């Protein structure tokens, strides 16, 4: 009988089992185990839509039987299969809980399932999903997309909830900004309560059954929710107790939605992706919460070409690797529509062989990326942030919708500054604001929910921070909020009062070209009140340059150093170099493997052209080794042994896809290459000695794993 351990010279350990308690890389799927999608990640999230309960259990078990840690995701916002709304669940019709527009139209996701108001009945139904998942062996629960639409609120169930919440008769959201804001705020609160109840039930039922089950919140980014008119607890979800963290649900679709809702057409896909990921990173930065950053090699719209999906995924990969505070990832949401036949995506599936191999190489980077970086993110001046709150989803008064927000962030990012979104809901966290030296504030597109935010900002400035307040008034200044109750015309006036500035002094500067801003020293810090309206930066080059000049001047005067505008961003994650250029060419010195290429070619001193991204593996040190070394293997290397005479290794991957390994030969020649399945069957490999001191081995993946033995000759 064939003995794999004897063939390899070492005992293979299943790395998935070693990582199961704290999964680093996951994917989600709508299907039972299939060897063609058996990417050897640490955990598989089963997301079955509208199927019987026993089907969920069978699907979870099918993955567990093959060594995967099974987890469970379900929709928190919509009723797949209409099981709840049409009475399959409890024999009662619940269509009054479906979100309705002003004309009474039901709001459906993709035209197939209704979006729900989180009522007691809907919550009870979702608890059965939790219970069935835990009974089926799920190790974690993910109630995804706790979101509502800010143009709804006409459903009868919501009218009752409105009256209960505000103590007044229901007011239709279209009748005034105040009614719109109150509707969105209540929808946000109801989904916050839903996630809290589901978390508590998860822990209670897990304890009853003697199991350890984690609870995560998978949710879209703030900057994709705004264009989609969605309301969701993001910053406000930080007060949900007991959850372990988030999946930041960012992929090609939302990145493109955000980009389409910003006027400056010079903004790139990378720019948008970076800002969407950045929001989530700063939501959890410095906390104990785990963040999985999602990427998708395709998207929900199947009409694009495979070469387009390829480019977009690379940009997402580079963008999310720019954040060394995060090293946990959801590699993809639906490998089914990439690796299996029968989908219309890209003109037909499976995806091209080349692309699937590249994806497996990218997954190795995600698995290997350490927490932290060899060097911090390189680029422009650090510590500049824009304050933002969930209430940005509670307004509807701007077109394009992201101009007021991206009008601040984009000009700085495109100069190579790692500008941050700063969730206002974290202002209370001790030490959090120490991460920032300059804070940019505009209430043109959102409003502070709590007056205490201004107390916290005043304390931060007093301790040495530089706060820059921008102009912009809108109809939501007149809603029933704390500043109106205290007699202020808008939140800007309230904030300036806390900072020792008279609002009238700022207003008097209006129209005076020689007074571009008002400056006020406050404690150890500074307040700068500018008449610039940030949304104009998105389409007016003169205003954009005035905005940048103000930041430059303020950095020199009040931060004590000139603004660094590097024109690029780069970071080293272990031996991986991740880089993106904006308006400049950047030379990357060293010897590298191009990770985002199906042949993993060796390259040196890379000239990265403007507006380009790359992921490179620095092999300079590895290629000084006196013995042959594995430089890089596509996902997933389960073990290896390297000696002067032999290199052996074991790799698992999805059937039907090609993998590859690039080895450093250390001056030797390949004598032979053998590959065997667990049953001992020979596997045909392609071997290329490329004349650069390295060897490329290509092979067909096997979901159960393949052992390789490379013998070397002097």
């Amino acid at each position: 009988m064939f003995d794999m351990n004897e063939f390899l010279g070492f005992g293979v350990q299943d790395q998935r089992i070693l990582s199961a308690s704290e999964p680093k890389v996951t994917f989600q799927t709508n299907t039972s185990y299939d060897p063609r999608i058996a990417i050897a990640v640490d955990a598989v999230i089963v997301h079955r839509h509208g199927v019987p309960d026993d089907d969920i259990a069978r699907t979870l078990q099918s993955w567990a039987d093959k060594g995967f840690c099974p987890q469970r995701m379900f929709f928190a916002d919509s009723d797949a299969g209409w099981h709840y709304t049409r009475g399959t669940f409890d024999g009662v019709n619940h269509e009054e809980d479906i979100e309705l527009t002003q004309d009474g139209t039901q709001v459906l996701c993709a035209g197939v399932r209704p979006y729900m108001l989180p009522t007691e009945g809907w919550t009870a139904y979702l608890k059965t999903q939790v219970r069935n998942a835990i009974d089926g062996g799920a190790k974690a629960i993910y109630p995804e997309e706790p979101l509502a639409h800010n143009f709804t609120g006409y459903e009868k169930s919501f009218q009752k909830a409105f009256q209960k919440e505000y103590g007044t008769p229901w007011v239709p959201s279209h009748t005034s900004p105040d009614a719109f804001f109150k509707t969105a705020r209540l929808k946000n609160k109801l989904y916050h309560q839903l996630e809290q109840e589901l978390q508590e039930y998860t822990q209670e039922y897990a304890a009853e059954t003697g199991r350890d089950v984690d609870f995560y919140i998978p949710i879209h980014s703030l900057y994709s929710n705004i264009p989609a008119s969605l309301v969701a607890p993001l910053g406000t979800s930080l007060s949900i107790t007991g959850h372990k963290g988030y999946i930041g649900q960012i992929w090609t679709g939302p990145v493109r939605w955000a980009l389409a809702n910003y006027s400056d057409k010079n903004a790139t896909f990378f720019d948008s992706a970076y800002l969407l990921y950045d929001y989530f990173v700063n939501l959890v930065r410095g906390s104990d919460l785990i963040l999985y950053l999602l990427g998708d090699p395709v998207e929900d719209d199947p009409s694009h070409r495979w070469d387009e999906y390829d480019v977009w995924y690379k940009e997402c990969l580079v963008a999310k690797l720019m954040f060394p505070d995060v090293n946990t990832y959801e590699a993809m949401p639906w490998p089914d529509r990439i690796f299996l036949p029968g989908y219309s995506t890209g003109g037909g599936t499976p995806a091209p062989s080349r692309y699937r191999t590249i994806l497996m190489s990218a997954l190795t980077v995600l698995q290997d990326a350490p927490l932290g970086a060899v060097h911090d993110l390189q680029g422009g001046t650090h510590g500049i942030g824009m304050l933002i709150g969930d209430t940005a989803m509670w307004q509807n008064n701007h077109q394009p919708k992201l101009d007021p927000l991206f009008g601040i962030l984009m000009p700085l990012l495109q100069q190579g500054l790692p500008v941050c979104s700063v969730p206002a809901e974290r202002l209370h966290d001790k030490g959090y604001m120490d991460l920032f030296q300059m804070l940019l504030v505009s209430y043109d597109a959102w409003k502070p929910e709590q007056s205490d935010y201004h107390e916290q900002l005043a304390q931060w400035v007093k301790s040495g921070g530089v706060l820059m307040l921008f102009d912009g008034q809108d109809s939501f200044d007149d809603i029933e909020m704390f500043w109106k109750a205290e007699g202020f015309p808008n939140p800007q006036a309230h904030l300036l009062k806390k900072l020792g500035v008279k609002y009238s002094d700022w207003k008097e500067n209006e129209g005076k070209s020689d007074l571009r801003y008002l400056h006020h020293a406050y404690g150890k810090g500074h307040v700068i009140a500018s008449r610039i309206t940030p949304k104009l930066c998105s389409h007016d080059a003169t205003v954009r340059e005035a905005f940048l000049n103000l930041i430059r001047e303020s950095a020199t005067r009040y931060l004590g150093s000139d603004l660094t505008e590097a024109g690029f961003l780069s970071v080293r994650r272990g031996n991986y170099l991740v880089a993106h250029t904006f308006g400049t060419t950047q030379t990357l010195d060293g010897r590298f493997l191009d990770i985002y290429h199906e042949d993993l070619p060796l390259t040196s001193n890379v000239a990265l052209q403007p507006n380009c991204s790359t992921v490179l593996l620095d092999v300079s040190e590895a290629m000084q080794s006196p013995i042959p070394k594995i430089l890089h293997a596509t996902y997933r290397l389960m073990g290896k042994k390297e000696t002067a005479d032999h290199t052996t290794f074991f790799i698992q991957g999805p059937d039907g896809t090609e993998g590859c390994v690039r080895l450093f030969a250390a001056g030797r020649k390949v004598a032979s290459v053998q590959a065997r399945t667990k049953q001992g069957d020979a596997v045909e490999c392609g071997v290329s000695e490329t004349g650069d001191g390295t060897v490329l081995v290509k092979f067909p993946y096997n979901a159960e794993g393949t052992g390789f033995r490379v013998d070397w000759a002097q």
Side-chain angles (χ1 to χ4, degrees), residues 157-171:
S157 295
F158 182 78
Q159 295 177 29
K160 298 173 187 175
F162 187 100
Q163 185 166 352
K164 180 179 179 182
E165 174 71 12
Y166 296 114
T168 64
W170 169 67
V171 182

Side-chain angles (χ1 to χ4, degrees), residues 531-551:
R531 301 306 306 174
I532 293 173
T533 301
K535 64 184 176 185
L536 298 180
C537 295
S538 64
H539 57 270
D540 188 320
T542 301
V543 175
R544 180 188 178 101
E545 191 59 25
F547 168 79
L548 287 171
N549 284 335
L550 178 59
I551 303 293

Side-chain angles (χ1 to χ4, degrees), residues 95 122 148 177 455 538 585 610 646 657:
E95 292 196 46
W122 177 242
E455 297 285 354
S538 64
T585 297
H646 316 286
T657 293

Side-chain angles (χ1 to χ4, degrees), residues 18-37:
L18 299 177
S19 304
S21 62
E22 293 288 345
K24 191 172 187 295
V25 178
T26 69
F27 70 75
Q28 73 188 53
T29 179
N30 201 34
T31 68
S32 298
Y33 174 83
D34 187 315
R36 296 169 297 175
I37 60 170

